[in-house]
């Protein structure tokens, strides 16, 4: 059995996962008083971090009957205790390196004080702030990232679609000849295939892109279909349309670098199936860049979020431009926008809603936390299909990375479920210049 440790947790860990106290096993957890002060600033608001702050404070309130400052409160059977570090004496060692008493430096001071006071147990600062971890290590303080919801295998976001060589050409001919496809048992590696997995079968003579459907138990050829004027330009995009247009697959993850067509394909597939759903809803998280918050923008609520939603409108424009001038489909898009059947809005406005018979596209999902992803999926009512699109290597949030973002977490946890499918797009199709820049810069 490993030695018991003391963990000091930073505010960003709580805002990332308000249930984090459940994940420290038999070790004790310490909460600097400055963390409570910071949480107090996040209580008001409708964003996920505001909800997390409120929920964590409620959890603390449930433990308030215990002596959190001296004896600590038990976190449950087989778990350690929670302590609040009330003192705020600024360490001379910290002051020598970081004289400014910022919240981060005060947390460092608390961690150092605890490690010096209790030398029998190793003291570790847990924070999602890379800079704070570096500062801690520069002072000899152990520091770690919060890894409870990190995925291990990110290869599924680097590799091409699965390819299987040396297939009997007559078996491939059989797949092409049958509308229903072949039974999964006819493939020698069939037990390795995940539900709704799309892959390529190749022989010395021919090849066929296929998908395994868990609903029929069949491996069927994937056809190249057009959705509202958008035609797949590669086999990966055909795979995406295959899953996007199957109403039995209720949850789809589309990952890939910029310019691979993630959002465009999802929107085109939604429009093709417009008669199956009461509403098509497109949303994306608002992540401010260059320290510009949404409040600095003039106008009402819709005018404020408009610049953030523009990429979604751009994809809608691409679809319109692919249609013939005056085409009925183009007029249908206008009609759907006017009567609320096609809605583009900020993701923050989804909380608390129940979405029934909705085709729901969440763009830039790599900027969401695992908890935010769960919150969105639990909004799904009867007849709803949810699509998450994003690039796990293009994250704007300072406390997320390729392993801890919500999109990667959701895809990793949902693998093997019949209601879920994932396609990773690798080839950029926006333009030659876009692809060149994506690969070289």
């Amino acid at each position: 059995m490993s030695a018991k440790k003391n963990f000091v947790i930073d505010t960003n860990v709580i805002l990332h996962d308000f249930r984090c106290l459940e994940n420290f096993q038999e070790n004790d957890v310490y909460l600097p008083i400055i963390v409570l002060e910071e949480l107090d600033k996040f209580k008001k608001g409708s964003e996920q971090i505001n909800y997390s702050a409120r929920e964590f404070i409620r959890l603390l309130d449930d433990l308030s009957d215990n002596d959190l400052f001296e004896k600590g409160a038990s976190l449950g059977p087989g778990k350690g205790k929670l302590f609040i570090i009330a003192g705020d004496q600024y360490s001379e060692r910290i002051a020598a390196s970081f004289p400014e008493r910022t919240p981060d430096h005060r947390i460092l001071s608390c961690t150092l004080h605890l490690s010096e006071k209790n030398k029998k147990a190793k003291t570790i600062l847990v924070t999602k702030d890379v800079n704070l971890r570096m500062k801690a290590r520069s002072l000899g303080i152990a520091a770690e990232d919060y890894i409870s919801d990190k995925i291990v295998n990110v290869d599924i976001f680097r590799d091409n679609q699965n390819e299987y060589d040396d297939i009997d050409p007559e078996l491939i001919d059989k797949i092409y000849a049958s509308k229903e496809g072949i039974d999964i048992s006819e493939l020698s590696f069939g037990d390795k295939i995940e539900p709704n997995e799309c892959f390529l079968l190749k022989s010395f003579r021919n090849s066929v892109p296929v998908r395994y459907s868990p609903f029929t138990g069949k491996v069927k050829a994937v056809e190249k279909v057009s959705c509202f004027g958008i035609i797949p330009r590669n086999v990966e995009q055909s795979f995406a349309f295959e899953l996007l247009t199957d109403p039995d697959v209720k949850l789809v993850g589309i990952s890939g670098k910029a310019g691979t067509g993630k959002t465009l394909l999802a929107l085109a597939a939604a429009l093709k199936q417009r008669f199956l759903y009461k509403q098509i809803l497109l949303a994306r998280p608002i992540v401010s860049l260059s320290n510009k918050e949404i409040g600095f923008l003039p106008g009402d609520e819709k005018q404020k979020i408009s610049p953030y939603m523009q990429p979604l409108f751009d994809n809608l424009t691409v679809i319109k431009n692919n249609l013939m001038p005056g085409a009925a489909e183009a007029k249908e898009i206008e009609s759907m926008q006017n009567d609320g059947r096609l809605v583009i809005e900020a993701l923050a406005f989804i909380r608390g809603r129940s979405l029934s018979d909705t085709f729901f596209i969440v763009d830039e999902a790599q900027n969401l936390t695992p908890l935010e992803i769960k919150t969105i999926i639990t909004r799904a009512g009867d007849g709803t299909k949810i699509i998450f699109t994003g690039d796990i290597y293009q994250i704007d949030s300072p406390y997320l990375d390729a392993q801890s973002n919500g999109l990667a977490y959701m895809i990793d946890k949902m693998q093997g479920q019949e209601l879920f499918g994932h396609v990773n797009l690798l080839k950029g199709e926006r333009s030659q210049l876009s692809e060149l820049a994506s690969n070289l810069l």
Side-chain angles (χ1 to χ4, degrees):
M1 183 176 179
S2 59
K4 191 172 183 178
K5 302 181 182 70
N6 295 327
F7 287 100
V8 179
I9 58 175
D10 192 5
T11 314
N12 50 55
V13 174
I14 296 168
L15 297 178
H16 178 80
D17 180 8
F18 68 86
R19 297 165 301 186
C20 60
L21 296 178
E22 302 173 2
N23 299 319
F24 290 92
Q25 300 175 338
E26 76 280 359
N27 304 295
D28 290 338
V29 180
Y30 288 80
L31 196 66
I33 197 72
I34 180 59
V35 170
L36 296 184
E37 294 177 18
E38 288 197 292
L39 287 175
D40 195 55
K41 299 175 183 177
F42 286 97
K43 287 191 304 184
K44 296 181 180 179
S46 58
E47 298 287 342
Q48 180 64 44
I49 57 173
N50 308 123
Y51 173 79
S52 294
R54 292 191 294 269
E55 286 299 303
F56 186 82
I57 291 170
R58 291 188 183 102
L59 291 175
L60 281 185
D61 188 50
D62 291 339
L63 299 172
S64 61
D65 292 338
N66 299 272
D67 186 354
L68 289 169
F69 301 94
E70 295 294 336
K71 297 181 180 179
S74 174
L75 294 174
K79 297 184 181 295
K81 291 184 177 182
L82 173 67
F83 297 85
I84 293 179
I85 306 175
D88 194 26
Q89 183 178 355
Y90 202 57
S91 167
E92 291 183 4
R93 281 188 59 196
I94 302 294
S97 299
F98 311 110
E100 188 177 357
R101 291 171 60 103
T102 64
D104 282 354
H105 298 159
R106 290 167 64 186
I107 291 172
L108 276 181
S109 181
C110 287
T111 308
L112 182 61
H113 175 72
L114 179 64
S115 65
E116 292 174 345
K117 179 182 176 182
N118 188 354
K119 295 185 178 182
K120 292 183 179 180
K122 185 176 181 180
T123 299
I124 302 171
L125 172 63
V126 182
T127 175
K128 298 198 70 62
D129 188 333
V130 178
N131 286 339
L132 185 55
R133 293 202 296 270
M134 294 299 292
K135 289 179 179 180
R137 290 164 186 159
S138 72
L139 297 166
I141 300 172
E144 296 179 357
D145 190 4
Y146 179 72
I147 60 174
S148 291
D149 53 9
K150 278 199 169 189
I151 68 168
V152 176
N153 179 26
V154 293
D155 290 340
I156 58 174
F157 302 102
R158 297 192 183 104
D159 298 339
N160 239 320
Q161 73 277 354
N162 290 334
E163 295 185 1
Y164 296 92
D165 299 319
D166 300 324
I167 303 298
D168 184 348
E170 293 186 2
L171 184 63
I172 293 179
D173 290 338
K174 184 178 179 181
I175 293 174
Y176 274 120
S178 173
K179 289 184 178 181
E180 291 77 22
I182 64 170
D183 193 87
I184 186 66
S185 61
E186 295 191 49
L187 297 178
S188 60
F189 49 85
D191 57 335
K192 299 179 182 178
I193 302 299
E194 299 279 4
N196 298 308
E197 183 176 339
C198 297
F199 50 99
L200 195 62
L201 298 177
K202 300 172 71 174
S203 74
F204 69 90
R205 176 165 55 86
N206 51 7
S207 63
V208 58
V210 296
R211 169 204 166 193
Y212 166 53
S213 171
F215 310 106
T216 62
K218 302 287 187 179
V219 175
K220 183 181 176 183
V222 173
E223 298 179 359
K224 190 175 184 179
V225 298
S226 172
C227 290
F228 244 69
I230 303 300
I231 301 174
R233 295 186 178 183
N234 55 57
V235 68
E236 299 160 13
Q237 292 190 349
S238 293
F239 287 158
F241 269 160
E242 171 71 19
L243 297 182
L244 290 168
T245 55
D246 186 344
D248 290 328
V249 183
K250 302 297 184 182
L251 180 64
V252 179
I254 306 292
S255 58
K257 64 184 180 182
T260 51
K262 304 180 294 294
T263 311
L264 180 64
L265 295 172
L267 179 55
L271 290 170
K272 181 177 182 178
Q273 301 169 90
R274 62 194 182 279
F275 299 117
L276 298 179
Y277 303 92
K278 292 180 179 178
Q279 186 182 59
I280 298 172
L281 179 60
L282 292 87
R284 66 194 326 241
I286 295 176
V287 180
S288 300
L289 302 178
S290 303
N291 295 320
K292 290 184 178 179
E293 296 297 332
I294 193 171
F296 288 108
L297 298 174
D300 59 19
E301 187 178 83
K302 290 186 178 181
Q303 290 172 319
K304 282 178 181 288
I305 68 170
S306 180
Y308 297 91
M309 299 301 109
Q310 191 57 47
L312 298 179
F313 287 105
D314 290 344
N315 280 282
L316 198 57
T317 300
V318 170
I319 292 176
K320 290 179 180 178
N321 292 339
N322 269 274
L323 299 171
M324 295 292 292
E329 291 90 344
K331 294 180 180 178
E332 178 73 6
I333 292 175
E334 297 289 343
S335 175
M336 292 176 68
Q337 287 183 279
N338 292 333
D339 61 21
R341 286 180 293 147
L342 175 59
V343 178
I344 297 176
E345 65 182 19
L347 195 58
F349 304 144
I350 303 302
R351 172 168 289 284
R353 294 174 57 181
S354 180
L355 304 172
S356 299
D357 298 310
T358 301
F359 195 104
F360 186 15
I361 302 170
V362 181
D363 193 27
E364 301 292 345
Q366 78 278 1
N367 287 322
L368 298 172
T369 67
L371 184 58
E372 287 173 321
I373 290 282
K374 179 179 179 179
T375 300
I376 293 167
I377 297 176
T378 55
R379 298 297 94 206
D382 290 337
T384 288
K385 184 183 180 96
I386 302 181
I387 317 299
F388 289 99
T389 69
D391 177 4
I392 69 166
Y393 299 108
Q394 192 175 358
I395 296 174
D396 299 315
S397 173
Y399 301 132
L400 297 176
D401 58 31
Q403 291 178 281
S404 64
N405 71 87
L407 177 63
Y409 180 81
M410 182 272 294
I411 292 172
D412 180 69
K413 294 298 181 183
M414 286 291 181
Q415 289 287 348
Q417 300 300 314
E418 291 187 354
L419 297 181
F420 172 75
H422 168 235
V423 174
N424 188 43
L425 304 177
L426 292 180
K427 187 177 180 182
E429 297 290 356
R430 183 171 289 161
S431 67
Q432 287 184 324
L433 177 59
S434 173
E435 178 71 352
L436 182 64
S438 180
N439 291 332
L440 299 182
L441 300 182

